[in-house]
Amino acid sequence: MPSATRQAPRCQASVAGLALEAQTALLPQALGAFALSLPIFVWIGSQARDSAFMAASFAVFAINWGALYAVVGWLGRPEAADPRRRLRVHLLSGLLWAGAVAQIAAMANNAGPAREALLMASVAAAVMCLFFT
């Protein structure tokens, strides 16, 4: 019985490590999906009534993209080999993107004629964030 309890954390750590490696491998697809959807979001967002809120949403996206590129650069460093540190960085990145999706949904709620399209875009963004983060 004691040997099984000793192996469980190591097994969980390897599963977490494999999950983080899978997320790293999906990064090119995530970048492609966001690159394809960003012009659509900008076009739909330009139809919104509140231009200041739309600008704030774009600023949140710019911050998140900067953070994403910083994380991608960090993944090549030796500190990224620590699974616990990678998990913390991964969770923080996911929370940043969840904030961006919440910002889109809040902007979309008061977007006037573009409301439904932006709400659908926020749902699509949430699905992409769940899939890629």
Side-chain angles (χ1 to χ4, degrees):
M1 189 70 151
S3 63
T5 57
R6 270 188 267 136
Q7 290 180 355
R10 187 173 62 177
C11 178
Q12 289 173 351
S14 66
V15 169
L18 289 173
L20 291 170
E21 289 299 323
Q23 292 298 325
T24 303
L26 284 173
L27 188 60
Q29 289 84 0
L31 292 174
F34 283 119
L36 289 173
S37 62
L38 184 62
I40 297 168
F41 171 67
V42 170
W43 176 72
I44 295 171
S46 68
Q47 308 300 315
R49 286 189 283 189
D50 193 356
S51 60
F53 212 11
M54 182 185 70
S57 295
F58 293 152
V60 167
F61 265 81
I63 290 167
N64 284 350
W65 276 108
L68 178 68
Y69 284 122
V71 168
V72 169
W74 177 79
L75 285 173
R77 299 180 67 190
E79 298 90 33
D82 180 20
R84 289 183 179 163
R85 187 176 288 180
R86 280 186 68 179
L87 184 61
R88 284 192 301 261
V89 169
H90 181 77
L91 289 175
L92 181 62
S93 299
L95 288 173
L96 284 173
W97 283 111
V101 170
Q103 177 77 16
I104 293 171
M107 178 190 73
N109 195 33
N110 298 316
R115 181 177 187 259
E116 286 80 18
L118 281 170
L119 285 172
M120 286 189 290
S122 69
V123 169
V127 169
M128 284 195 298
C129 286
L130 286 173
F131 184 70
F132 291 118
T133 58

